[in-house]
């Protein structure tokens, strides 16, 4: 079987090392990896619930020409009509592809009824401007990738409905597939409403469910904190329109007297969510005032999941209020963990890092620390200012917390540390890498790695990134010197990392000299990518003066909050 010819395409957005452009290729047996017609990515498989969708079965032949009615009056498909192919397909609900460029559609293939043979994947129903390379998936493999390219004649914002089809032995199965044609890099999505959620304040928490729905949460009375009132959950479709099937016309109110402040909101693979906050007794993070911390779990309907804790809520008490960022983690077994730091004057280092873990039913995890809580104070010799930045959980339950270290007395004595808590016992260890450069932010890239955004020391103050594995050991040291473009973002204006679907890091900040906002991309070697935009920089829409909280949607688009208006915007990366 020969693959369809792909048009020449421009360099794909994503990895700092350009992906070879697809061209005429020949079908080869699939040994489980990607062939030359696809791209090299960290993971070509479909990531769990983020790719889940229903399966539509279609038959190549509807039956006899006369309608297939037998003498008995019952429809008869005839002996030559094959049974449906016992294969389930999973893929993102919407594929983002840029005009005059290509995108990789990752497809999961799950076989049933003992069927193990090879199948062929293809996309049907696309106009002639689109070209797709068919993909043969050999026996024993469960994932593949199709390269989709589109002519620049198809305008930005175009959405197309197609069908993803798997065939084998004269049998087939299919599922719907939607495609969105993107515009230039980091242009605002013109199909997204200007004020989709009707809010302009910074108290909203936003996340995206695996099916692309927009979830938000906010306190009922944020202006009168610490007055205890509760919170509200809302759900919108991907186009910003309220989901009227969610609660009362898209909104669910939880008047909980015990909740006065929200810290974290997290969407779950099930379509539900987690809300973490503190009670009214939490005022001061720098004094030993006891603080009650609460986590509630919600169903996809927005209602409390009563199988979790006390009618959907678990609580724990810390010696003081959370000092900085709070991180929520949830694993495949349904266990929930919260990682934070608080003030404890009884310790040699008064700021303590803590993880509280609960089972799927809300019981504290037995054996993990004391009643599900493990704590760790940094070594007494570590006198630099420390701040929790990120947390990552391994499959065995081990949790690693990334901690930035800042030395105000010695500008060349900064660092990045990692608190590692064993998944079974909670026993903690400490690993640190010292650096003359300042770690401004740390994030996880979606592939089990930490990535740190750094400012180099004077006089350059250039931006770069460094990767660390799940244990906190640095990786990707580079292959030598790299050419960095002149610094264009103002010093200190870039404080956030975000990623495309293959884990390529980006950041945004103010252009040097007051030229508005811009985005830069980094290569795998850590330096700013000079091939991105103009000398490594892409300017954002002049109407935006503040952008933060980037969230990647299943289709590859990026949501971000803006202050003041319009509140929420969508970019094409």
């Amino acid at each position: 079987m020969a693959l369809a010819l792909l048009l020449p395409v421009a360099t794909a957005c994503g990895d700092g090392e350009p992906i070879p452009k697809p061209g005429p290729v020949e079908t080869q047996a699939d040994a489980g990896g990607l062939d030359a017609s696809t791209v090299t990515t960290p993971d070509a498989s479909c990531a769990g619930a983020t790719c889940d969708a229903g399966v539509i079965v279609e038959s190549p032949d509807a039956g006899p020409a006369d309608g297939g009615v037998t003498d008995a009056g019952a429809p008869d498909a005839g002996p030559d009509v094959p049974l449906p192919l016992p294969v389930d397909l999973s893929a993102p609900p919407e594929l983002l592809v840029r005009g005059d460029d290509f995108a990789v559609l990752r497809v999961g293939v799950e076989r049933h009824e003992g069927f193990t043979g090879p199948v062929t994947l293809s996309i049907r129903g696309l106009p002639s401007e689109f070209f797709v390379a068919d993909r043969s998936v050999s026996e024993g493999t469960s994932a593949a990738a199709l390269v989709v390219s589109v002519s620049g004649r198809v305008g930005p914002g175009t959405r197309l409905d197609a069908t993803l089809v798997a065939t084998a032995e004269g049998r087939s199965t299919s599922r719907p597939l939607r495609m969105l044609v993107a515009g230039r890099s980091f242009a605002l999505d013109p199909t997204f409403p200007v004020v989709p959620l009707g809010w302009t304040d910074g108290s909203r928490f936003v996340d995206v469910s695996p099916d692309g729905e927009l979830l938000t949460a906010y306190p009922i009375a944020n202006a009168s904190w610490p007055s205890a009132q509760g919170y509200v959950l809302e759900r919108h479709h991907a186009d910003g329109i309220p989901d009227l099937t969610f609660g009362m016309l898209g909104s669910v109110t939880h008047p909980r007297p015990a909740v006065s402040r929200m810290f974290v909101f997290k969407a779950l693979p099930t379509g539900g969510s987690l809300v973490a906050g503190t009670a009214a007794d939490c005022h001061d993070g720098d004094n030993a005032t006891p603080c009650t911390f609460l986590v509630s779990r919600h169903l996809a309907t927005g209602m409390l999941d009563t199988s979790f804790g006390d009618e959907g809520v678990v609580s724990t008490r810390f010696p003081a209020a959370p000092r900085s960022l709070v991180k929520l983690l949830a694993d495949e077994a349904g266990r929930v963990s919260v990682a934070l730091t608080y003030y404890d004057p009884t310790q040699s280092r008064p700021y303590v890092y803590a993880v509280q873990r609960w089972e799927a039913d809300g019981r504290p995890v037995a054996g993990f620390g004391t009643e599900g809580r493990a704590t760790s104070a940094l070594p007494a010799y570590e006198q630099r200012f420390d701040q929790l930045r990120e947390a990552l959980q391994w499959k065995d339950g081990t949790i690693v917390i990334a901690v930035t270290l800042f030395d105000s007395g010695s500008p060349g004595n900064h660092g990045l540390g990692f608190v590692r808590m064993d998944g079974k016992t909670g026993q903690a260890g400490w690993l640190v890498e010292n650096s003359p450069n300042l770690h401004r932010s740390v994030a996880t890239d979606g592939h089990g790695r930490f990535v740190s955004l750094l400012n180099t020391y004077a006089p350059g103050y250039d931006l770069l990134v460094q990767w660390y594995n799940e244990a906190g050991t640095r990786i990707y040291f580079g292959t030598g010197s790299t050419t960095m473009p002149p610094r264009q973002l103002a010093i200190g204006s870039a404080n956030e990392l975000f990623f495309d679907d293959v884990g390529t890091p980006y950041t945004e900040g103010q252009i040097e000299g007051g030229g508005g906002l811009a985005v830069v991309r980094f290569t795998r070697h850590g330096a700013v990518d000079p091939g991105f935009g103009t000398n490594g920089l892409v300017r954002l829409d002049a109407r935006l003066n503040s952008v933060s909280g980037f969230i990647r949607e299943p289709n590859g688009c990026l949501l971000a909050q803006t202050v003041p208006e319009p509140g929420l915007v969508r970019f094409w990366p």
Side-chain angles (χ1 to χ4, degrees):
M1 177 187 70
L3 299 185
L5 179 65
L6 298 180
L7 287 178
V9 293
T11 301
C13 68
D15 203 348
E17 298 174 347
I19 299 170
K21 301 178 178 61
V25 292
E26 301 207 353
T27 304
Q28 297 179 355
D30 188 336
L34 303 182
D35 61 21
S37 68
T38 65
V39 302
T40 302
T41 65
D43 183 4
S45 64
C46 214
T50 61
C51 303
D52 190 18
V55 177
I56 298 176
V57 178
E58 65 172 22
S59 297
D61 188 353
D66 61 2
V69 180
T70 64
D71 293 338
D76 182 7
D80 296 331
V81 177
L83 295 173
L85 183 65
V87 170
D88 289 343
L89 303 178
S90 56
E94 189 173 68
L95 177 65
L96 180 74
V97 57
R98 194 175 303 284
D100 271 341
D101 209 335
F102 70 89
V104 178
L105 173 64
R106 297 169 182 82
V107 182
V109 179
E110 181 180 359
R111 298 167 174 83
H112 299 289
E113 301 176 17
F115 180 81
T116 60
V119 300
T120 299
L121 296 173
S122 62
I123 298 179
R124 299 176 184 172
L126 291 179
S128 59
E129 289 84 358
F130 284 77
F131 296 84
V132 181
D134 289 352
R135 179 81 160 119
S136 179
V137 186
S138 66
E139 180 178 343
T141 57
S142 59
L146 291 169
V147 176
V148 181
S149 64
V150 57
S151 167
R153 296 191 300 271
V154 181
T158 301
R159 279 187 165 89
L160 295 169
D161 292 318
T163 303
L164 177 65
V165 181
T167 57
E169 302 175 356
R171 304 160 69 182
S172 68
T173 188
S174 65
R175 53 150 290 165
L177 176 68
R178 200 179 195 198
M179 293 190 176
L180 169 63
V181 181
R184 62 180 180 82
S185 295
F186 286 94
L188 291 176
D189 182 354
T191 67
F192 200 55
V194 176
V195 189
L197 304 184
W199 52 272
T200 59
D201 60 82
S203 64
R204 294 259 181 165
F205 293 80
V206 183
D207 209 344
V208 180
S209 67
D211 59 359
E213 298 285 89
L214 309 183
L215 303 175
T216 66
Y218 59 92
I220 292 176
N222 61 298
S224 59
W225 185 86
S227 174
Q229 295 291 335
Y231 53 91
V232 179
L233 302 181
E234 294 180 351
R235 188 167 72 193
H236 291 69
H237 297 302
D239 57 5
I241 304 301
D243 181 357
L244 301 182
T245 67
F246 183 79
M248 182 65 68
L249 300 179
S251 177
V252 179
T253 300
H254 292 277
R256 302 192 59 77
V259 178
S260 64
R261 184 181 180 189
M262 291 182 61
F263 274 92
V264 191
F265 175 63
K266 182 181 180 64
L268 296 172
T270 60
S273 59
L274 294 170
V275 174
T278 55
D281 59 359
C282 299
H283 312 294
D284 193 345
D286 290 325
N287 288 292
T289 303
C291 171
T292 302
F293 199 89
L294 303 101
V295 178
S296 57
R297 189 169 72 193
H298 300 266
L299 302 170
T301 60
M303 303 306 295
L304 285 166
D305 181 355
T306 57
S307 68
F308 182 68
D310 182 10
E311 296 297 316
V313 182
V314 294
S315 64
T316 186
R317 196 165 176 84
F318 292 102
R323 170 173 164 255
S324 57
L325 295 177
V326 176
K327 294 294 179 178
L328 271 176
L329 302 168
D331 61 20
E332 295 178 354
R335 288 183 290 265
V336 175
S337 302
V338 60
L340 51 79
T341 179
Y342 62 84
Y343 177 79
D344 187 347
T346 66
Q347 301 287 331
S348 58
R349 283 278 295 173
Y351 294 114
V352 176
Y353 290 84
V355 171
Q356 176 72 55
R357 301 186 69 202
W358 294 277
E359 297 284 0
D361 60 4
R363 293 177 295 112
V365 174
F368 185 81
T370 302
E371 295 184 351
R373 181 189 300 176
T375 60
S376 175
L378 301 190
Y381 62 78
E382 185 53 79
Q383 295 299 309
R384 291 172 288 187
F385 176 79
D386 56 281
Q387 186 172 7
L388 186 154
R389 291 292 187 177
E390 185 60 278
L392 185 151
Q393 181 168 289
W394 301 4
K395 289 185 177 180
D396 67 358
T398 296
I399 293 177
V400 181
I401 302 172
V403 180
T404 55
L405 301 167
F406 172 73
D407 192 333
S408 59
S410 179
N413 185 34
H414 307 306
L416 180 62
F418 296 91
V419 178
R420 174 179 170 182
M421 296 183 176
D422 182 84
K424 295 185 180 299
T425 65
Q427 183 176 358
W430 171 247
L431 172 68
V432 64
E433 179 188 73
N434 295 315
S435 170
N437 302 318
L438 176 63
H439 294 264
R440 302 196 62 85
S441 178
V442 183
T444 53
D445 65 354
H447 300 281
R449 296 169 298 203
F450 292 100
V451 184
S452 177
L453 174 67
L454 299 96
N455 256 139
T456 62
Y457 51 83
Y461 296 106
D462 293 312
L463 288 170
L464 54 89
V465 297
Q466 290 176 351
W467 278 265
Y468 299 81
N469 66 14
E470 62 178 8
T473 302
R474 186 176 167 191
I475 55 179
Y476 298 147
F477 281 89
T479 57
S481 61
T482 57
T483 301
M484 290 192 63
R487 176 173 53 83
Q488 297 192 41
L489 295 184
I491 298 172
S493 67
N495 290 293
E496 182 177 1
L497 279 171
F498 51 96
F499 305 87
D500 58 24
D501 59 354
V502 295
T504 305
Y506 299 78
T507 192
E508 65 82 26
Q510 292 285 341
I511 298 175
E512 185 77 7
L517 296 175
V519 171
V520 297
R521 185 173 73 191
F522 298 91
T523 69
R524 189 171 294 277
H525 302 298
V528 173
D529 181 0
F532 178 69
T534 303
N535 205 20
L537 181 147
V538 170
R539 293 175 180 266
L540 296 181
D541 193 293
R543 294 170 295 178
L544 302 176
N545 55 31
S546 174
V547 182
S548 63
F550 285 86
I551 304 171
R552 189 175 69 252
E553 297 182 275
N555 65 2
C557 285
L558 291 164
L559 290 174
Q561 297 186 50
T562 68
V563 178
E565 293 184 358
L568 191 71
V569 292
R570 174 181 285 140
F571 295 99
W572 287 318

